[in-house]
Short mmCIF file of all heavy atoms in Angstrom, two decimals:
data_model
loop_
_atom_site.label_atom_id
_atom_site.label_comp_id
_atom_site.label_asym_id
_atom_site.label_seq_id
_atom_site.Cartn_x
_atom_site.Cartn_y
_atom_site.Cartn_z
N LYS A 102 -74.33 -28.47 -35.37
CA LYS A 102 -75.25 -29.09 -34.42
C LYS A 102 -75.20 -28.34 -33.11
O LYS A 102 -74.13 -28.22 -32.47
CB LYS A 102 -74.81 -30.55 -34.19
CG LYS A 102 -75.89 -31.41 -33.55
CD LYS A 102 -75.53 -32.85 -33.61
CE LYS A 102 -76.66 -33.76 -33.13
NZ LYS A 102 -76.33 -35.19 -33.28
N PRO A 103 -76.32 -27.79 -32.63
CA PRO A 103 -76.31 -26.96 -31.39
C PRO A 103 -76.13 -27.84 -30.17
O PRO A 103 -76.53 -28.99 -30.14
CB PRO A 103 -77.67 -26.29 -31.41
CG PRO A 103 -78.56 -27.22 -32.16
CD PRO A 103 -77.68 -27.85 -33.20
N PRO A 104 -75.56 -27.27 -29.10
CA PRO A 104 -75.38 -28.04 -27.88
C PRO A 104 -76.70 -28.24 -27.17
O PRO A 104 -77.62 -27.43 -27.26
CB PRO A 104 -74.45 -27.16 -27.03
CG PRO A 104 -74.72 -25.76 -27.50
CD PRO A 104 -75.01 -25.92 -28.97
N ARG A 105 -76.79 -29.36 -26.42
CA ARG A 105 -77.95 -29.57 -25.55
C ARG A 105 -77.84 -28.62 -24.36
O ARG A 105 -76.74 -28.35 -23.87
CB ARG A 105 -77.98 -31.03 -25.06
CG ARG A 105 -78.30 -32.01 -26.16
CD ARG A 105 -78.15 -33.44 -25.71
NE ARG A 105 -76.73 -33.82 -25.60
CZ ARG A 105 -76.29 -35.07 -25.63
NH1 ARG A 105 -77.13 -36.07 -25.76
NH2 ARG A 105 -75.02 -35.35 -25.52
N ARG A 106 -78.98 -28.15 -23.90
CA ARG A 106 -78.96 -27.20 -22.78
C ARG A 106 -78.93 -27.94 -21.45
O ARG A 106 -79.60 -28.95 -21.26
CB ARG A 106 -80.21 -26.30 -22.79
CG ARG A 106 -80.40 -25.57 -24.10
CD ARG A 106 -79.21 -24.67 -24.44
NE ARG A 106 -79.06 -23.59 -23.49
CZ ARG A 106 -78.05 -22.74 -23.50
NH1 ARG A 106 -77.08 -22.86 -24.38
NH2 ARG A 106 -77.99 -21.76 -22.61
N ARG A 107 -78.09 -27.44 -20.52
CA ARG A 107 -78.09 -28.05 -19.18
C ARG A 107 -79.26 -27.52 -18.37
O ARG A 107 -79.77 -26.42 -18.61
CB ARG A 107 -76.76 -27.75 -18.48
CG ARG A 107 -76.49 -26.30 -18.24
CD ARG A 107 -75.29 -26.11 -17.32
NE ARG A 107 -75.06 -24.72 -17.07
CZ ARG A 107 -74.45 -24.24 -15.97
NH1 ARG A 107 -74.04 -25.08 -15.06
NH2 ARG A 107 -74.28 -22.96 -15.79
N ALA A 108 -79.68 -28.28 -17.38
CA ALA A 108 -80.79 -27.89 -16.53
C ALA A 108 -80.47 -26.60 -15.80
O ALA A 108 -79.37 -26.43 -15.27
CB ALA A 108 -81.11 -28.98 -15.51
N GLY A 109 -81.43 -25.67 -15.79
CA GLY A 109 -81.25 -24.43 -15.05
C GLY A 109 -80.49 -23.36 -15.80
O GLY A 109 -80.26 -22.30 -15.28
N SER A 110 -80.06 -23.62 -17.02
CA SER A 110 -79.30 -22.62 -17.77
C SER A 110 -80.20 -21.47 -18.16
O SER A 110 -81.33 -21.65 -18.57
CB SER A 110 -78.70 -23.27 -19.03
OG SER A 110 -78.10 -22.29 -19.83
N GLN A 111 -79.69 -20.26 -18.02
CA GLN A 111 -80.47 -19.07 -18.36
C GLN A 111 -80.07 -18.46 -19.69
O GLN A 111 -80.64 -17.50 -20.17
CB GLN A 111 -80.31 -18.02 -17.25
CG GLN A 111 -80.80 -18.51 -15.90
CD GLN A 111 -80.61 -17.46 -14.82
OE1 GLN A 111 -80.38 -16.29 -15.11
NE2 GLN A 111 -80.70 -17.87 -13.58
N GLY A 112 -79.05 -19.02 -20.30
CA GLY A 112 -78.60 -18.47 -21.60
C GLY A 112 -79.63 -18.80 -22.68
O GLY A 112 -80.43 -19.71 -22.57
N LYS A 113 -79.63 -18.04 -23.70
CA LYS A 113 -80.54 -18.27 -24.82
C LYS A 113 -80.11 -19.49 -25.59
O LYS A 113 -78.97 -19.55 -26.08
CB LYS A 113 -80.57 -17.02 -25.71
CG LYS A 113 -81.54 -17.14 -26.86
CD LYS A 113 -81.57 -15.86 -27.69
CE LYS A 113 -82.53 -15.94 -28.85
NZ LYS A 113 -82.54 -14.72 -29.66
N ALA A 114 -80.99 -20.42 -25.76
CA ALA A 114 -80.65 -21.67 -26.44
C ALA A 114 -80.47 -21.40 -27.92
O ALA A 114 -81.31 -20.74 -28.56
CB ALA A 114 -81.76 -22.70 -26.25
N PRO A 115 -79.34 -21.83 -28.52
CA PRO A 115 -79.12 -21.64 -29.93
C PRO A 115 -80.06 -22.53 -30.74
O PRO A 115 -80.46 -23.61 -30.30
CB PRO A 115 -77.65 -22.07 -30.12
CG PRO A 115 -77.40 -23.03 -29.02
CD PRO A 115 -78.23 -22.56 -27.87
N THR A 116 -80.41 -22.09 -31.91
CA THR A 116 -81.26 -22.87 -32.77
C THR A 116 -80.46 -23.32 -33.99
O THR A 116 -79.45 -22.70 -34.36
CB THR A 116 -82.46 -22.06 -33.27
OG1 THR A 116 -81.98 -20.84 -33.88
CG2 THR A 116 -83.35 -21.65 -32.09
N SER A 117 -80.90 -24.38 -34.61
CA SER A 117 -80.21 -24.87 -35.81
C SER A 117 -80.31 -23.87 -36.92
O SER A 117 -81.36 -23.22 -37.13
CB SER A 117 -80.82 -26.23 -36.24
OG SER A 117 -80.67 -27.17 -35.24
N LYS A 118 -79.26 -23.74 -37.68
CA LYS A 118 -79.26 -22.79 -38.81
C LYS A 118 -80.05 -23.36 -39.95
O LYS A 118 -80.05 -24.57 -40.18
CB LYS A 118 -77.81 -22.56 -39.29
CG LYS A 118 -76.90 -21.96 -38.22
CD LYS A 118 -75.49 -21.85 -38.79
CE LYS A 118 -74.52 -21.36 -37.76
NZ LYS A 118 -73.14 -21.29 -38.28
N PRO A 119 -80.78 -22.51 -40.70
CA PRO A 119 -81.39 -22.99 -41.92
C PRO A 119 -80.32 -23.57 -42.84
O PRO A 119 -79.15 -23.19 -42.78
CB PRO A 119 -82.02 -21.73 -42.52
CG PRO A 119 -82.19 -20.80 -41.36
CD PRO A 119 -81.06 -21.13 -40.44
N ALA A 120 -80.73 -24.47 -43.75
CA ALA A 120 -79.77 -25.15 -44.60
C ALA A 120 -78.93 -24.16 -45.40
O ALA A 120 -77.70 -24.34 -45.53
CB ALA A 120 -80.50 -26.09 -45.54
N SER A 121 -79.55 -23.09 -45.90
CA SER A 121 -78.78 -22.10 -46.72
C SER A 121 -77.74 -21.40 -45.88
O SER A 121 -76.63 -21.17 -46.31
CB SER A 121 -79.76 -21.09 -47.36
OG SER A 121 -80.46 -20.41 -46.34
N GLN A 122 -78.09 -21.04 -44.62
CA GLN A 122 -77.14 -20.37 -43.75
C GLN A 122 -76.03 -21.29 -43.33
O GLN A 122 -74.87 -20.92 -43.26
CB GLN A 122 -77.86 -19.82 -42.51
CG GLN A 122 -78.84 -18.71 -42.82
CD GLN A 122 -79.46 -18.15 -41.55
OE1 GLN A 122 -78.94 -18.35 -40.48
NE2 GLN A 122 -80.59 -17.49 -41.70
N ALA A 123 -76.39 -22.54 -43.04
CA ALA A 123 -75.36 -23.52 -42.64
C ALA A 123 -74.36 -23.75 -43.76
O ALA A 123 -73.16 -23.82 -43.51
CB ALA A 123 -76.04 -24.84 -42.24
N LYS A 124 -74.85 -23.81 -45.00
CA LYS A 124 -73.96 -24.03 -46.13
C LYS A 124 -73.09 -22.81 -46.33
O LYS A 124 -71.87 -22.93 -46.57
CB LYS A 124 -74.77 -24.29 -47.40
CG LYS A 124 -73.88 -24.56 -48.63
CD LYS A 124 -74.71 -24.82 -49.87
CE LYS A 124 -73.80 -25.24 -51.03
NZ LYS A 124 -72.77 -24.26 -51.34
N LYS A 125 -73.66 -21.63 -46.18
CA LYS A 125 -72.85 -20.40 -46.35
C LYS A 125 -71.74 -20.35 -45.28
O LYS A 125 -70.61 -20.04 -45.60
CB LYS A 125 -73.76 -19.18 -46.21
CG LYS A 125 -73.03 -17.85 -46.42
CD LYS A 125 -73.99 -16.70 -46.33
CE LYS A 125 -73.25 -15.36 -46.51
NZ LYS A 125 -74.18 -14.23 -46.41
N ALA A 126 -72.10 -20.67 -44.04
CA ALA A 126 -71.10 -20.68 -42.98
C ALA A 126 -70.01 -21.69 -43.24
O ALA A 126 -68.85 -21.46 -43.03
CB ALA A 126 -71.78 -20.94 -41.62
N ALA A 127 -70.43 -22.87 -43.69
CA ALA A 127 -69.46 -23.95 -43.96
C ALA A 127 -68.52 -23.52 -45.07
O ALA A 127 -67.29 -23.77 -45.03
CB ALA A 127 -70.18 -25.22 -44.35
N ASP A 128 -69.05 -22.84 -46.11
CA ASP A 128 -68.21 -22.38 -47.21
C ASP A 128 -67.19 -21.37 -46.74
O ASP A 128 -66.04 -21.37 -47.17
CB ASP A 128 -69.09 -21.77 -48.30
CG ASP A 128 -69.90 -22.81 -49.07
OD1 ASP A 128 -69.56 -24.03 -48.94
OD2 ASP A 128 -70.88 -22.45 -49.72
N LEU A 129 -67.61 -20.50 -45.82
CA LEU A 129 -66.65 -19.49 -45.31
C LEU A 129 -65.55 -20.13 -44.49
O LEU A 129 -64.38 -19.81 -44.63
CB LEU A 129 -67.44 -18.47 -44.46
CG LEU A 129 -68.36 -17.50 -45.21
CD1 LEU A 129 -69.15 -16.69 -44.21
CD2 LEU A 129 -67.58 -16.60 -46.15
N VAL A 130 -65.92 -21.03 -43.60
CA VAL A 130 -64.94 -21.68 -42.75
C VAL A 130 -64.02 -22.56 -43.54
O VAL A 130 -62.89 -22.83 -43.20
CB VAL A 130 -65.63 -22.50 -41.64
CG1 VAL A 130 -64.63 -23.27 -40.80
CG2 VAL A 130 -66.45 -21.56 -40.74
N ALA A 131 -64.52 -23.08 -44.70
CA ALA A 131 -63.69 -23.96 -45.53
C ALA A 131 -62.53 -23.23 -46.17
O ALA A 131 -61.67 -23.86 -46.79
CB ALA A 131 -64.58 -24.58 -46.63
N GLU A 132 -62.49 -21.89 -46.07
CA GLU A 132 -61.36 -21.16 -46.55
C GLU A 132 -60.39 -20.99 -45.39
O GLU A 132 -60.52 -20.04 -44.58
CB GLU A 132 -61.78 -19.78 -47.08
CG GLU A 132 -62.74 -19.89 -48.28
CD GLU A 132 -63.21 -18.51 -48.73
OE1 GLU A 132 -62.72 -17.52 -48.12
OE2 GLU A 132 -64.02 -18.43 -49.63
#
Side-chain angles (χ1 to χ4, degrees):
K102 197 168 187 177
R105 291 172 285 202
R106 305 301 295 175
R107 62 170 182 154
S110 173
Q111 299 178 15
K113 183 178 179 181
T116 55
S117 299
K118 299 176 183 178
S121 59
Q122 293 183 19
K124 183 180 186 302
K125 182 178 180 181
D128 289 343
L129 289 173
V130 176
E132 298 176 4

